[in-house]
Amino acid sequence: MSKNSKDIVDKDENFMVKIAGFIVGKRKLFMLLFLLGIIFSLVAANWVKVENSLSAYLPETSETRVGLDLMEEEYVTYGSAKIMVQNITYADAEDLVDYISDLDYVAMVQFDNSTDHYNDFSALLTVTFIYEETDDDALKALDLLKEELEGYDYYVSTTMGDQESETINKEMQMITVYVAIIVLLVLLFTSDSYAEIPVLLITFLSAAALAKGTNYMLGTISFVSDSVTIVLQLALSVDYAVIFLNKYKNELKETPDYKQADIIALSKAIPEISASSLTTIGGLIAMSFMQFGIGPDMAIVLIKAILLSLFAVFLLMPGLILIFAKLMDKTKHRSFVPDIPFVGKFAYRTRNTIPVFFVVLIIFGYYFSSKCPYVYGYSTLETATKSEQDIINELIDDTFSSPNLVALNVPSGDYDKEANMLAYLESRDEIKSTTGLANTEAMNGRMLTEKLNAREFAEMVDIDTEVAELLYSAYAIDDENYGKLISGINDYSVPFIDMFTFLHKEIEEDYVSLDDETIDLIEEAYNKIDIARNQLQGTNYDRMLLYLTLPEEGDETFAFLDELHTIAKSYYGDEANIVVAGESTSQKDLKQTFSRDNTVVNIVSMLVVLVVLLFTFKSAGMPVLLIMIIEGCIWINFSFPYLMKSNLFFMGYLIVSSIQMGANIDYAIVVSSRYQDVKRTMSPKKAIIDTMNYSFPTIVTSGTMLAVAGILIGQLTSEPCIAGIGVCLGRGTIISIFVVMFALPQILLFGDRLIERTSFDVSVQLPGDSQKSIGVTRVDGFVRGHINGDVVGTFRGTVIGEVDIRVNNLNGGDPFPDVNVMPPDNLIEATEIVGGVSDDE
């Protein structure tokens, strides 16, 4: 390093001191800005829009998204509810159905004598209201219906409203309280002063409030991001505040001036904390490359939360430290975190065996994790906690079969093709039943799309044949079908639904006069037919509902979905646009995106973290070792579902693998960095003991919080996706902590030479640089200074004792400008020269 290089370093340090001085000097302004931001965020948090559907985050080109967009545009979805009434006879159930059907706000009730609707003295009624699903009146109608059912033993299942979101919010609020208690206990255990805790908590809570409120600026976020961000933010960013606080306490030992210590600590903390956050942010960036939109959504929300945590530590916390400085001095207590020399001693004794064992372990981890039973829907997942609605849904599913429903959308306008295809589909073993306009009964056993002549239509709707013939003539003119008027109206047939709609229009326009009773009956029938048509017929597409005998997901189900396209095209032509939508289609699309996202997330997260580690350690060997260790932890983590024979929702892997790579590697960096520093002045055994003692408080603080947060999320939420993320995160963090504590030290000792040989950091001592060392030191060069110990050699040899020397250039005539002061490469050989000093000493 040249003199100019040293000047640059000094300038960088001075620059950071100036920034820190400015922040501390303007601390009241920053505290005011944070206060205003928090007030805004508390209000804005109520404005955040949350998307509760996973399928909404599928790629725009996926069939599910295309189908959902098409159906939203083409059809009307009415509010509906499944109502199971227990301890009721079939006759009483029929009477109840008739009573409910006559209610003004009820459009129709589905019920029959099949086991799908009556079983074991329980009746299942599917009630459709006259209001659209998103209309608040639909919920009011459901409340009115519940009042009508008082006295019955009933259970209601519905997709109306926002019950799931409300349940998740309640559960996450409870989890946040538990996590806060755990955080408080951990901070009490790891702190040196009781007054540190309010400083840390105020910093955490301020960042969390800002993160929650600023989600408003993102528009709509997913229910996953909305639920877990505050907990993960706390667990992922706790290190930042702890690092700053520790630096402040260290600086306070050098100077009694609180403000000066605050400034110097902040100047040192900003670059270190910023560098530390890069691995976490790097892991989250990997999620932004996912096709499945939950990944980018969660990446943006979490990265924003991490950045706000950094701002809180850099801008708010310095002022809080000065406010609580005196109180921190007064409330000091002994450290409750014990030294753990046994870990370092164990690492040194097993340095040649544990690395081999770990390599074998991660090979098995890779093998078993590759067999992880991923699923893409909720039907086969179990959660430790069940909401009230989950219990009701399970009760209904246990009593009545719950068929797998998919919607087949075909070009509209050909009722004959639809009727023929529906008849064929009902003959297939994979389909239990179908519903479409072509097989929906209108009245008297005739279907909605069945073609009728004037006489047949008159009999169905109970009007005079002459009126029906005039009506048919008017329809022919309106349809510009003048040939039928010439050839004879009696042979003219029109689909019932079209003619009935025309009759209703003519009555409304006073072109047809009927008695009041008949008009009332026609009006009532029209309303029901119109609801059926709105749900099954659009401007460009007709929808057929297919109830499958197949499970929601599986190779057989996915293959049949592909076959449905082939069947539909055989009726409508190869150029017809056929769209299938449903839970099975969604899960098929999710499986396809997972295949690509899995590879992308792994590669991007490893590359980003690798780049950060290369600049951190200036060695090619160290990043490879650390990434291998954390990737091994990930493989071990996702071996558990296979070994425990439990299904795993695919998002658990995609999200947790990114977080585990980005966040848990910080623990490995803490250990590795410390060992790299102290091994230059200590024997390997002492260095690894010191390293583990030094690293344990940081690992136990951050690791415990993240692990507990994950475990609580996994055990206390009923939402399978969020619960799966929590379980995997908690388990993965515990595995990472265990490996970092009991395998990484041995790997560092075992791979020490590889790390040194792959280092590209060139260190050249400058004139005037002071070099200190205690122990066994090799001195090579022309130096001036003080040596307290036994000397072997003249300025080039080994020193046992204390070294405090300064590189000098005597009047520009130093004959040995390159000076090397360092521990010997092979300590045992070096100590043998001076009488066999043991490497334990």
Side-chain angles (χ1 to χ4, degrees):
M1 184 184 293
S2 66
K3 186 174 186 301
N4 289 337
S5 299
K6 182 174 175 59
D7 290 341
I8 292 173
V9 173
D10 291 339
K11 288 179 181 178
D12 288 341
E13 292 177 353
N14 291 334
F15 178 68
M16 293 310 303
V17 171
K18 288 180 180 179
I19 291 178
F22 174 79
I23 293 172
V24 173
K26 301 293 183 181
R27 60 188 180 277
K28 293 182 180 179
L29 172 62
F30 286 118
M31 294 175 75
L32 176 61
L33 292 175
F34 266 86
L35 178 61
L36 295 175
I38 291 168
I39 293 173
F40 168 80
S41 295
L42 292 176
V43 176
N46 298 316
W47 304 338
V48 179
K49 296 180 181 178
V50 179
E51 174 57 64
N52 293 310
S53 173
L54 288 175
S55 56
Y57 289 93
L58 282 165
E60 295 286 344
T61 56
S62 66
E63 185 171 22
T64 300
R65 282 296 301 277
V66 171
L68 291 174
D69 293 343
L70 181 150
M71 291 191 295
E72 184 177 355
E73 182 179 343
E74 292 279 327
Y75 316 113
V76 176
T77 301
Y78 290 92
S80 64
K82 288 183 178 180
I83 300 176
M84 184 176 79
V85 183
Q86 291 186 320
N87 304 315
I88 189 171
T89 64
Y90 182 75
D92 289 341
E94 283 188 311
D95 292 340
L96 180 61
V97 168
D98 291 338
Y99 177 76
I100 293 175
S101 298
D102 291 336
L103 297 174
D104 293 340
Y105 48 83
V106 173
M108 64 181 71
V109 181
Q110 290 178 284
F111 179 76
D112 55 40
N113 60 359
S114 69
T115 56
D116 290 341
H117 291 97
Y118 188 81
N119 184 39
D120 194 22
F121 290 98
S122 296
L124 182 63
L125 286 57
T126 301
V127 180
T128 302
F129 300 103
I130 61 175
Y131 307 106
E132 293 186 29
E133 187 176 40
T134 55
D135 193 333
D136 290 339
D137 287 335
L139 287 172
K140 293 177 183 177
L142 179 59
D143 291 336
L144 291 173
L145 179 59
K146 289 178 180 179
E147 293 177 6
E148 299 288 347
L149 292 171
E150 285 186 9
Y152 289 94
D153 186 7
Y154 72 94
Y155 301 92
V156 178
S157 174
T158 182
T159 58
M160 295 190 301
D162 207 9
Q163 292 182 351
E164 185 177 11
S165 179
E166 292 174 0
T167 300
I168 293 173
N169 286 335
K170 290 179 181 177
E171 291 171 347
M172 292 309 299
Q173 287 172 3
M174 179 176 61
I175 292 170
T176 302
V177 172
Y178 287 150
V179 170
I181 294 172
I182 296 297
V183 167
L184 183 61
L185 293 176
V186 171
L187 292 178
L188 281 171
F189 178 72
T190 58
S191 66
D192 297 323
S193 168
Y194 295 116
E196 294 176 13
I197 297 173
V199 174
L200 296 173
L201 289 180
I202 293 172
T203 303
F204 297 153
L205 294 175
S206 299
L210 290 173
K212 184 78 172 176
T214 51
N215 286 336
Y216 163 72
M217 295 185 290
L218 300 177
T220 301
I221 64 173
S222 71
F223 70 94
V224 181
S225 301
D226 184 61
S227 303
V228 302
T229 296
I230 186 171
V231 178
L232 291 183
Q233 179 187 9
L234 170 61
L236 290 174
S237 61
V238 64
D239 283 351
Y240 310 149
V242 172
I243 289 172
F244 178 30
L245 189 60
N246 287 339
K247 287 191 176 297
Y248 166 76
K249 289 185 290 186
N250 288 335
E251 291 300 325
L252 205 58
K253 296 175 183 178
E254 302 294 330
T255 174
D257 187 282
Y258 296 134
K259 185 175 181 181
Q260 186 69 18
D262 199 16
I263 293 173
I264 300 300
L266 182 59
S267 69
K268 294 180 178 180
I270 290 175
E272 181 176 336
I273 294 172
S274 299
S276 174
S277 68
L278 289 179
T279 53
T280 302
I281 293 174
L284 297 174
I285 286 174
M287 292 196 297
S288 67
F289 287 86
M290 289 167 53
Q291 278 187 318
F292 187 43
I294 288 280
D297 176 86
M298 197 166 182
I300 292 172
V301 174
L302 273 175
I303 289 173
K304 175 175 66 66
I306 295 295
L307 292 176
L308 288 171
S309 294
L310 288 175
F311 292 153
V313 171
F314 295 157
L315 303 178
L316 176 64
M317 191 172 168
L320 294 174
I321 286 177
L322 291 182
I323 291 174
F324 287 89
K326 292 182 179 179
L327 193 57
M328 281 193 283
D329 281 344
K330 293 179 180 179
T331 58
K332 285 183 178 179
H333 59 78
R334 69 177 182 85
S335 175
F336 300 118
V337 181
D339 285 339
I340 50 171
F342 64 91
V343 174
K345 292 177 180 178
F346 171 77
Y348 190 77
R349 285 197 302 269
T350 58
R351 63 190 182 278
N352 294 321
T353 55
I354 291 296
V356 177
F357 173 78
F358 183 70
V359 170
V360 173
L361 184 63
I362 64 175
I363 290 173
F364 278 103
Y366 175 77
Y367 174 76
F368 290 128
S369 65
S370 66
K371 294 180 175 293
C372 184
Y374 296 111
V375 294
Y376 307 91
Y378 290 174
S379 59
T380 61
L381 295 176
E382 293 287 336
T383 56
T385 298
K386 296 184 186 301
S387 67
E388 181 181 352
Q389 191 60 53
D390 290 334
I391 295 172
I392 291 174
N393 291 339
E394 286 187 4
L395 182 62
I396 294 175
D397 290 341
D398 289 342
T399 308
F400 300 96
S401 61
S402 181
N404 178 17
L405 172 64
V406 298
L408 175 62
N409 298 273
V410 299
S412 64
D414 198 321
Y415 296 138
D416 292 335
K417 288 180 180 178
E418 180 178 330
N420 293 334
M421 188 170 71
L422 286 172
Y424 169 74
L425 289 174
E426 288 202 336
S427 69
R428 295 290 299 257
D429 293 337
E430 298 90 345
I431 295 180
K432 183 176 184 179
S433 62
T434 64
T435 299
L437 284 178
N439 66 355
T440 297
E441 184 178 352
M443 55 184 69
N444 302 327
R446 292 186 180 272
M447 302 300 144
L448 282 175
T449 62
E450 186 174 345
K451 289 184 177 181
L452 307 175
N453 57 31
R455 180 183 57 79
E456 293 169 330
F457 182 78
E459 292 175 355
M460 278 193 67
V461 298
D462 195 22
I463 60 175
D464 292 337
T465 302
E466 293 80 5
V467 174
E469 289 176 350
L470 289 173
L471 185 67
Y472 269 64
S473 299
Y475 184 88
I477 295 172
D478 190 65
D479 196 37
E480 297 183 355
N481 198 340
Y482 304 109
K484 293 299 180 182
L485 296 176
I486 299 173
S487 61
I489 200 67
N490 291 330
D491 297 327
Y492 184 28
S493 296
V494 178
F496 170 79
I497 188 172
D498 293 341
M499 184 53 68
F500 192 79
T501 301
F502 184 72
L503 169 61
H504 182 265
K505 187 185 75 169
E506 295 294 290
I507 291 174
E508 282 192 329
E509 296 177 356
D510 293 329
Y511 292 129
V512 174
S513 297
L514 299 171
D515 62 83
D516 291 342
E517 183 178 355
T518 302
I519 290 177
D520 289 341
L521 290 174
I522 289 175
E523 184 68 27
E524 181 181 352
Y526 174 80
N527 289 335
K528 293 184 178 180
I529 290 173
D530 190 53
I531 288 175
R533 177 172 49 201
N534 289 339
Q535 295 182 91
L536 299 173
Q537 186 178 55
T539 305
N540 302 300
Y541 289 87
D542 287 343
R543 176 164 60 177
M544 288 170 262
L545 305 180
L546 312 181
Y547 297 88
L548 308 184
T549 59
L550 301 172
E552 281 190 359
E553 67 178 286
D555 293 338
E556 185 181 5
T557 303
F558 297 157
F560 184 68
L561 293 179
D562 292 333
E563 188 179 355
L564 277 178
H565 288 81
T566 304
I567 293 171
K569 286 180 181 293
S570 68
Y571 286 90
Y572 288 88
D574 292 336
E575 301 301 320
N577 186 30
I578 307 298
V579 181
V580 181
E583 280 297 322
S584 292
T585 310
S586 174
Q587 291 165 32
K588 179 171 177 280
D589 290 335
L590 289 172
K591 183 178 181 179
Q592 291 172 345
T593 62
F594 176 66
S595 300
R596 181 255 187 199
D597 288 344
N598 183 21
T599 303
V600 170
V601 166
N602 281 331
I603 292 175
V604 173
S605 62
M606 283 193 290
L607 286 178
V608 173
V609 173
L610 178 63
V611 171
V612 174
L613 294 180
L614 281 172
F615 283 97
T616 300
F617 290 102
K618 298 179 175 62
S619 166
M622 181 67 82
V624 172
L625 283 177
L626 297 187
I627 287 179
M628 179 193 73
I629 289 167
I630 298 301
E631 189 63 41
C633 292
I634 293 172
W635 290 335
I636 294 169
N637 185 14
F638 290 98
S639 297
F640 277 78
Y642 172 76
L643 297 174
M644 297 171 66
K645 301 187 185 307
S646 60
N647 292 332
L648 174 67
F649 193 61
F650 76 104
M651 271 186 59
Y653 177 81
L654 289 175
I655 292 175
V656 173
S657 62
S658 297
I659 294 176
Q660 196 172 348
M661 174 60 73
N664 292 175
I665 205 167
D666 281 349
Y667 313 148
I669 292 173
V670 169
V671 173
S672 304
S673 298
R674 179 66 177 183
Y675 178 70
Q676 292 293 99
D677 290 340
V678 300
K679 75 176 185 177
R680 303 185 184 280
T681 58
M682 297 181 183
S683 67
K685 183 176 182 179
K686 287 185 177 180
I688 206 65
I689 292 173
D690 175 89
T691 295
M692 300 316 297
N693 286 334
Y694 172 84
S695 305
F696 180 62
T698 300
I699 295 173
V700 75
T701 302
S702 177
T704 300
M705 291 182 186
L706 188 57
V708 169
I711 291 170
L712 288 175
I713 290 172
Q715 296 300 311
L716 298 180
T717 183
S718 59
E719 212 292 328
C721 174
I722 297 174
I725 292 172
V727 169
C728 294
L729 183 61
R731 184 177 61 222
T733 302
I734 292 172
I735 291 170
S736 296
I737 292 173
F738 187 84
V739 169
V740 167
M741 293 291 294
F742 296 104
L744 176 60
Q746 291 90 328
I747 293 172
L748 290 175
L749 291 167
F750 186 83
D752 208 6
R753 291 193 178 185
L754 172 64
I755 296 169
E756 291 295 338
R757 290 178 180 176
T758 57
S759 174
F760 50 82
D761 182 25
V762 179
S763 179
V764 179
Q765 302 303 326
L766 292 173
D769 279 358
S770 177
Q771 297 293 311
K772 295 182 180 181
S773 177
I774 299 175
V776 181
T777 308
R778 186 171 70 248
V779 180
D780 183 6
F782 185 86
V783 298
R784 172 176 295 174
H786 173 74
I787 296 175
N788 181 18
D790 298 325
V791 181
V792 180
T794 56
F795 297 116
R796 289 185 179 180
T798 302
V799 177
I800 302 173
E802 182 177 347
V803 177
D804 184 359
I805 56 180
R806 186 174 298 276
V807 181
N808 278 312
N809 188 334
L810 300 178
N811 299 320
D814 184 0
F816 305 107
D818 295 326
V819 178
N820 191 4
V821 181
M822 55 182 291
D825 292 334
N826 190 323
L827 189 59
I828 294 175
E829 289 183 6
T831 54
E832 285 175 351
I833 297 174
V834 293
V837 179
S838 168
D839 63 355
D840 288 343
E841 295 180 320

